[in-house]
Amino acid sequence: MRILGILLLALAALLTLLLFCRVGVIAAYSADGLTVRARLGWFKLTIVPMPKRKPKEKRTKAAKKKPKPAESHPNSLQTILKGGSISQLKELLELAWSAAGDMIRHLRVEYLRLHYTFAGQPDPAKAALRCGKANISGGIICHLLEQHLNILRREVTAEVDFCSEQSTVYAAGSCSIRVGAALLVTLRLLRSYLQWKKRQGKPPAQEEKTYG
């Protein structure tokens, strides 16, 4: 019995630690392309680019199966299904928008970096003017983002490469949310959806007609 109690306490501590753990995404775009990594606490997993799989061994001709006839997929673009009510779609979008607002309030941006390099050729003066406008616009955009997001570190810069003929951009960012907060928002969204689904099952109230 004592061992069972210790195991239950250890499990409760582990679940509590998991709820306070942060899950997030780290993304970057550079000359090497797009890189996206998911992270849970200290563990990181690369999503983009996908890791290369080992090529499978070629099967013999006798082992190859005969090609199956093409089947019709009801969700293909060529099939048009009966549409739903526009009012119901608006209500579902309102639920999703409310959940997105709750998620953003719990979201934390660890860092956000954007560096733009303007090509100085063939018009260096025009490139310098664009660089100045970009620095001003970047500061304004960051100020607006900080009013709605919890941003710990941000850096938006621009420069001119007078020897280059092609503009480049580097963007990187990392955001995360606690597992407990994400679970709480999901449960709220599920409860709102079930309440909405229950209202849809009720017959619409008939309006009383008055005659004057």
Side-chain angles (χ1 to χ4, degrees):
M1 193 69 181
R2 184 177 180 182
I3 298 177
L4 180 60
I6 295 175
L7 290 176
L8 291 177
L9 287 176
L11 181 60
L14 182 62
L15 290 176
T16 303
L17 181 63
L18 180 62
L19 291 177
F20 280 93
C21 188
R22 305 192 73 89
V23 57
V25 177
I26 303 173
Y29 176 78
S30 62
D32 298 330
L34 180 64
T35 302
V36 180
R37 289 184 296 171
R39 66 181 180 91
L40 174 62
W42 296 276
F43 300 98
K44 297 179 182 179
L45 176 65
T46 301
I47 302 176
V48 179
M50 292 288 293
K52 296 182 179 180
R53 297 181 179 179
K54 296 181 179 180
K56 296 182 179 180
E57 297 180 357
K58 296 183 179 180
R59 297 180 180 178
T60 60
K61 294 183 178 180
K64 290 183 178 179
K65 296 181 180 180
K66 296 181 180 180
K68 296 182 180 180
E71 300 178 354
S72 59
H73 298 278
N75 295 331
S76 62
L77 294 177
Q78 297 178 355
T79 304
I80 300 178
L81 303 178
K82 184 179 178 181
S85 171
I86 296 179
S87 61
Q88 292 183 2
L89 178 60
K90 289 182 179 179
E91 293 176 357
L92 289 175
L93 290 177
E94 289 178 358
L95 292 179
W97 183 256
S98 176
D102 293 338
M103 192 73 73
I104 289 176
R105 281 192 289 270
H106 292 91
L107 191 68
R108 186 181 73 182
V109 181
E110 281 81 15
Y111 67 89
L112 179 64
R113 186 179 182 188
L114 181 64
H115 183 75
Y116 200 96
T117 303
F118 290 89
Q121 300 297 327
D123 192 345
K126 189 176 181 179
L129 290 175
R130 289 180 177 178
C131 181
K133 292 180 180 180
N135 281 320
I136 297 175
S137 302
I140 296 175
I141 293 174
C142 286
H143 180 68
L144 293 175
L145 289 176
E146 288 175 343
Q147 292 181 352
H148 299 85
L149 295 174
N150 179 20
I151 302 178
L152 301 182
R153 290 189 297 124
R154 52 95 172 172
E155 181 181 355
V156 179
T157 57
E159 65 176 356
V160 180
D161 187 355
F162 293 99
C163 300
S164 176
E165 296 181 356
Q166 183 179 5
S167 300
T168 59
V169 63
Y170 170 76
S174 173
C175 61
S176 65
I177 186 173
R178 293 189 186 276
V179 175
L183 183 61
L184 181 62
V185 173
T186 304
L187 292 177
R188 288 177 180 173
L189 177 61
L190 181 60
R191 184 187 63 180
S192 300
Y193 173 75
L194 293 177
Q195 292 176 352
W196 174 85
K197 194 70 175 178
K198 187 177 181 180
R199 291 195 303 267
Q200 299 303 313
K202 295 181 180 179
Q206 296 181 355
E207 297 181 359
E208 297 182 358
K209 296 183 179 180
T210 57
Y211 300 92

